[in-house]
Coordinates of all heavy atoms in Angstrom, one line a residue:
Chain A
S8 N 65.1 128.0 93.2 CA 64.0 127.3 93.8 C 63.4 126.2 92.9 O 62.8 126.5 91.9 CB 62.9 128.3 94.2 OG 61.8 127.7 94.7
R47 N 79.9 113.8 75.4 CA 79.3 115.1 75.3 C 80.4 116.2 75.5 O 80.3 117.3 74.9 CB 78.2 115.3 76.4 CG 77.0 114.4 76.1 CD 75.9 114.8 77.1 NE 75.2 116.0 76.7 CZ 74.9 117.0 77.4 NH1 75.3 117.0 78.7 NH2 74.3 118.1 77.0
L67 N 74.6 107.6 71.3 CA 73.3 108.0 71.9 C 73.4 109.2 72.7 O 72.4 110.0 72.8 CB 72.7 106.8 72.7 CG 72.3 105.6 71.9 CD1 72.0 104.4 72.9 CD2 71.1 105.8 71.0
A68 N 74.5 109.5 73.3 CA 74.7 110.7 74.1 C 74.8 112.0 73.2 O 74.2 113.0 73.5 CB 75.9 110.6 74.9
Y92 N 71.2 96.7 75.6 CA 71.0 97.9 74.8 C 69.9 98.8 75.4 O 70.1 100.0 75.6 CB 70.8 97.6 73.3 CG 70.5 98.8 72.5 CD1 71.6 99.6 72.0 CD2 69.2 99.2 72.1 CE1 71.3 100.8 71.3 CE2 69.0 100.3 71.4 CZ 70.0 101.1 70.9 OH 69.7 102.2 70.2
A104 N 69.6 113.9 80.3 CA 68.5 114.8 80.7 C 68.9 115.6 82.0 O 68.6 116.8 82.0 CB 67.2 113.9 81.0
E110 N 72.9 122.2 83.3 CA 73.5 123.2 82.5 C 72.6 124.4 82.1 O 73.1 125.5 82.1 CB 74.0 122.5 81.2 CG 75.1 121.5 81.3 CD 75.3 120.6 80.1 OE1 74.6 120.9 79.1 OE2 76.0 119.6 80.2
W141 N 63.0 98.9 66.8 CA 64.2 98.1 66.6 C 64.5 97.2 67.8 O 65.5 96.4 67.7 CB 65.4 99.1 66.5 CG 65.2 100.0 65.3 CD1 64.4 99.8 64.2 CD2 65.9 101.3 65.1 NE1 64.5 100.9 63.4 CE2 65.4 101.8 63.9 CE3 66.8 102.0 65.9 CZ2 65.9 103.0 63.4 CZ3 67.2 103.2 65.4 CH2 66.8 103.7 64.2
P181 N 45.0 119.6 77.6 CA 45.7 120.8 76.9 C 45.7 122.0 77.7 O 46.4 123.0 77.3 CB 44.7 120.9 75.7 CG 43.4 120.5 76.1 CD 43.7 119.3 77.1
G186 N 54.8 125.7 85.9 CA 55.5 127.0 85.8 C 55.3 127.6 84.4 O 55.6 128.8 84.2
Q191 N 53.3 126.7 76.1 CA 54.7 127.1 76.3 C 55.6 125.8 76.5 O 56.7 125.7 76.0 CB 54.9 128.0 77.5 CG 54.4 129.4 77.3 CD 54.2 130.2 78.6 OE1 54.1 129.6 79.7 NE2 54.3 131.5 78.5
E193 N 55.0 123.0 75.1 CA 55.1 122.3 73.8 C 56.1 123.1 72.9 O 56.7 122.5 72.0 CB 53.8 122.2 73.2 CG 52.8 121.3 74.0 CD 53.4 119.9 74.3 OE1 54.3 119.4 73.6 OE2 53.0 119.3 75.3
R198 N 60.9 122.5 70.0 CA 62.2 123.1 69.6 C 63.4 122.1 69.9 O 64.3 121.9 69.2 CB 62.5 124.4 70.2 CG 63.8 125.1 69.7 CD 63.8 125.5 68.2 NE 64.5 126.8 68.1 CZ 64.1 127.8 67.3 NH1 63.0 127.7 66.6 NH2 64.8 128.9 67.3
N203 N 67.4 118.3 67.9 CA 67.9 116.9 68.0 C 67.5 116.1 66.7 O 67.9 115.0 66.6 CB 67.3 116.2 69.2 CG 68.0 116.6 70.5 OD1 69.2 116.9 70.5 ND2 67.3 116.5 71.6
C205 N 64.7 114.9 65.8 CA 63.9 113.7 66.2 C 62.6 113.8 65.5 O 61.8 114.6 65.9 CB 63.8 113.6 67.7 SG 62.8 112.2 68.2
F206 N 62.3 113.0 64.6 CA 61.0 113.1 63.8 C 59.8 112.8 64.7 O 58.8 113.4 64.6 CB 61.1 112.1 62.6 CG 59.8 112.1 61.8 CD1 59.4 113.3 61.1 CD2 59.1 111.0 61.6 CE1 58.3 113.3 60.3 CE2 57.9 111.0 60.8 CZ 57.5 112.2 60.2
Y207 N 60.0 111.8 65.5 CA 58.8 111.3 66.3 C 58.2 112.4 67.1 O 57.0 112.6 67.1 CB 59.2 110.1 67.2 CG 58.0 109.6 68.0 CD1 57.2 108.7 67.4 CD2 57.7 110.1 69.2 CE1 56.1 108.2 68.0 CE2 56.5 109.6 69.9 CZ 55.7 108.7 69.3 OH 54.6 108.2 69.9
Chain P
M1 N 59.3 115.0 67.4 CA 59.0 116.4 67.1 C 57.5 116.5 66.6 O 56.8 117.4 67.1 CB 59.9 116.9 66.0 CG 59.7 118.3 65.7 SD 60.8 118.9 64.4 CE 60.2 120.5 64.3
L2 N 57.2 115.6 65.7 CA 55.8 115.7 65.1 C 54.8 115.7 66.2 O 53.8 116.5 66.2 CB 55.6 114.6 64.1 CG 54.2 114.6 63.5 CD1 53.9 115.9 62.7 CD2 54.0 113.4 62.5
S3 N 54.9 114.8 67.2 CA 54.0 114.6 68.3 C 53.8 116.0 69.0 O 52.7 116.4 69.3 CB 54.4 113.6 69.3 OG 54.7 112.4 68.7
H4 N 54.9 116.6 69.3 CA 54.8 117.8 70.1 C 54.4 119.1 69.4 O 53.8 120.0 69.9 CB 56.0 117.9 71.0 CG 56.1 116.9 72.0 ND1 55.4 116.9 73.2 CD2 56.6 115.6 72.0 CE1 55.5 115.8 73.9 NE2 56.3 115.0 73.1
N15 N 43.2 126.6 74.1 CA 43.4 127.8 75.0 C 43.2 129.1 74.3 O 43.4 130.2 74.9 CB 44.8 127.7 75.6 CG 45.0 126.6 76.6 OD1 44.5 126.7 77.7 ND2 45.7 125.5 76.2
A23 N 57.6 128.7 63.5 CA 58.7 129.3 64.2 C 59.5 128.2 64.9 O 60.7 128.4 65.3 CB 58.2 130.2 65.3
P34 N 52.8 133.9 74.3 CA 53.5 134.7 75.3 C 54.8 134.0 75.8 O 54.8 132.8 76.2 CB 52.5 134.9 76.5 CG 51.2 134.7 75.8 CD 51.4 133.7 74.7
D44 N 67.7 127.0 72.3 CA 68.9 127.1 71.3 C 70.2 127.2 72.1 O 71.2 126.5 71.8 CB 68.7 128.3 70.4 CG 67.6 128.2 69.4 OD1 67.0 127.1 69.4 OD2 67.2 129.2 68.8
R49 N 75.0 124.4 74.2 CA 75.9 124.3 75.4 C 76.8 125.6 75.5 O 78.0 125.5 75.8 CB 76.7 123.0 75.4 CG 75.8 121.8 75.4 CD 76.6 120.5 75.6 NE 77.0 120.3 77.0 CZ 78.0 119.4 77.4 NH1 78.6 118.7 76.4 NH2 78.3 119.3 78.6
Q67 N 61.0 132.7 87.8 CA 61.8 131.6 88.1 C 61.1 130.2 87.9 O 61.8 129.3 87.4 CB 62.4 131.7 89.5 CG 63.3 130.5 89.8 CD 64.3 130.9 91.0 OE1 65.2 131.6 90.8 NE2 64.0 130.3 92.1
D72 N 60.9 125.2 85.0 CA 60.1 124.2 84.2 C 60.6 124.1 82.8 O 60.6 123.0 82.2 CB 58.7 124.6 84.2 CG 58.0 124.1 85.5 OD1 58.7 123.8 86.4 OD2 56.7 124.0 85.4
Q81 N 65.5 115.8 75.9 CA 66.8 115.2 75.6 C 66.7 113.7 75.8 O 67.3 112.9 75.1 CB 67.9 115.8 76.6 CG 68.2 117.2 76.2 CD 69.3 117.3 75.1 OE1 69.0 116.9 74.0 NE2 70.5 117.7 75.5
N84 N 63.9 112.1 73.2 CA 64.4 112.0 71.8 C 65.4 110.9 71.6 O 65.4 110.2 70.6 CB 65.1 113.3 71.4 CG 64.2 114.5 71.3 OD1 64.7 115.7 71.2 ND2 62.9 114.3 71.3
R85 N 66.2 110.6 72.6 CA 67.1 109.5 72.5 C 66.4 108.2 72.6 O 66.8 107.2 71.9 CB 68.2 109.6 73.7 CG 69.2 110.7 73.4 CD 70.0 111.2 74.5 NE 71.1 112.1 74.0 CZ 70.9 113.3 73.6 NH1 69.7 113.9 73.7 NH2 71.9 114.1 73.2
G89 N 66.6 105.9 69.5 CA 67.4 104.7 69.8 C 66.6 103.4 69.6 O 67.2 102.4 69.6
T90 N 65.3 103.6 69.6 CA 64.4 102.4 69.5 C 63.7 102.4 68.1 O 62.9 101.5 67.8 CB 63.4 102.3 70.6 OG1 62.5 103.5 70.5 CG2 64.0 102.1 71.9

Side-chain angles (χ1 to χ4, degrees):
Chain A
S8 177
R47 294 188 78 230
L67 293 168
Y92 175 79
E110 288 165 12
W141 303 338
Q191 288 168 335
E193 298 307 335
R198 180 71 140 222
N203 281 330
C205 178
F206 179 62
Y207 183 83
Chain P
M1 180 182 180
L2 179 60
S3 305
H4 291 278
N15 288 287
D44 292 351
R49 302 186 77 194
Q67 183 158 283
D72 275 20
Q81 286 275 70
N84 291 167
R85 281 163 175 77
T90 58

